[in-house]
Amino acid sequence: DTEVTQTPKHLVMGMTNKKSLKCEQHMGHRAMYWYKQKAKKPPELMFVYSYEKLSINESVPSRFSPECPNSSLLNLHLHALQPEDSALYLCASSQEIWGAVGDTQYFGPGTRLTVL
Amino acid sequence: ELKVEQNPLFLSMQEGKNYTIYCNYSTTSDRLYWYRQDPGKSLESLFVLLSNGAVKQEGRLMASLDTKARLSTLHITAAVHDLSATYFCAALAGKSTFGDGTTLTVKP
């Protein structure tokens, strides 16, 4: 099974809402990533977890809060977002962080978030 | 700060032709990645290049890395319509930084 799943596929939320994005993989990968991608732009790294510990936080505003409850699951908790946070949020995983053994990243299908 | 520059940004080619996408990066990088993205879809990893002189091939795509020149190339051989997509390179220096992407259109 080489699949990364993300739920929900689409999310519309108001600026006062709290919601969560979920990402799951069952490949035994120990690194998991969150990226944000705005339309017609390259992805931007947000967070990286390695062995369930936060390894990289790219100065992301605190209204985004990541969580890695176990090695298969990665959450992104959202609170008090702004309309400019509307984007495609991509989760990925790899065997080791940054493909240290030459392995590639596997990406989920993404969650398309709209903040009203 | 690591900067990654891809060119061209847009590429329209005929089926059957060859072409190369270039990816330059500004500082020493630990490795180089290539990705493909179809419109409205997620990313697909194509290649990870780990060392100077590394070359990887998959089908009609071949990627190479020259760390001395800080340059990676993605060569397309005998393009087919199915290769139409946006291709991103990303360099790693602590964290990964993406180029702006090359949107490839292959016409019959």
Side-chain angles (χ1 to χ4, degrees), chain B residues 54-91:
Chain B
V55 176
K56 289 198 174 177
Q57 181 160 9
E58 181 76 34
R60 299 173 190 276
L61 300 177
M62 184 173 72
S64 65
L65 179 62
D66 180 343
T67 56
K68 293 188 172 72
R70 296 182 186 156
L71 172 68
S72 180
T73 59
L74 182 66
H75 186 73
I76 302 154
T77 302
V80 293
H81 178 71
D82 284 353
L83 290 179
S84 297
T86 297
Y87 293 86
F88 291 100
C89 68

Side-chain angles (χ1 to χ4, degrees), chain A residues 56-77:
Chain A
I56 295 176
N57 176 346
E58 279 300 306
S59 303
V60 179
S62 60
R63 56 186 185 269
F64 295 92
S65 175
E67 180 196 18
C68 189
N70 59 59
S71 60
S72 300
L73 189 54
L74 186 65
N75 297 319
L76 186 63
H77 303 297

Side-chain angles (χ1 to χ4, degrees), chain A residues 6 35 37 40-45 56 58 88 90-91 97-110 112, chain B residues 6 31 33-35 37 39-48 50 56 88-89 92 94-101:
Chain A
Q6 287 187 247
Y35 292 88
Q37 187 179 26
K40 300 202 181 300
K41 295 291 186 183
E44 298 170 43
L45 182 68
I56 295 176
E58 279 300 306
L88 179 66
L90 296 168
C91 173
I97 190 169
W98 299 128
V101 294
D103 59 309
T104 57
Q105 290 171 297
Y106 290 82
F107 284 82
R112 200 162 292 280
Chain B
Q6 275 183 250
R31 61 201 65 153
Y33 309 85
W34 284 97
Y35 304 90
Q37 188 171 37
K41 302 289 187 184
S42 184
L43 264 69
E44 175 190 355
S45 292
L46 295 175
F47 304 109
V48 179
L50 298 180
K56 289 198 174 177
F88 291 100
C89 68
L92 179 68
K95 61 144 184 143
S96 69
T97 300
F98 282 74
D100 284 338

